[in-house]
Amino acid sequence: MLKFPTQYGVEIYPSVTGHICLKQQSPEFGKEITVMLTIGQLRGLIKNANALIQKAEEYRGLGNEANT
């Protein structure tokens, strides 16, 4: 199986069903969490990555302002 190096505790790998899986052990919930994306969903994510990152940074900034 093709596996990428774990980063920040998240494993990324293709499943035998053709999904792209992101798996993380969640200490918060005490269990493993897996998200499965279709190839089309992953392509959409890649296509819109810059806009998603920009919006997430805006939201993160708003959260930081609320905490000050």
Side-chain angles (χ1 to χ4, degrees):
M1 173 181 8
L2 175 65
K3 271 191 151 180
F4 296 91
T6 300
Q7 292 187 358
Y8 303 108
V10 177
E11 288 182 46
I12 302 171
Y13 60 93
S15 72
V16 295
T17 61
H19 290 87
I20 308 301
C21 300
L22 295 92
K23 179 171 70 171
Q24 180 178 30
Q25 186 66 33
S26 173
E28 185 176 334
F29 298 110
K31 61 182 176 180
E32 183 177 278
I33 297 173
T34 302
V35 175
M36 298 172 67
L37 301 173
T38 65
I39 293 169
Q41 289 171 321
L42 180 62
R43 285 185 177 134
L45 182 64
I46 292 167
K47 180 179 177 182
N48 296 296
N50 287 335
L52 288 167
I53 291 167
Q54 182 179 7
K55 190 54 90 175
E57 287 176 341
E58 288 175 21
Y59 290 150
R60 183 174 58 190
L62 291 174
N64 288 340
E65 290 172 9
N67 292 328
T68 59

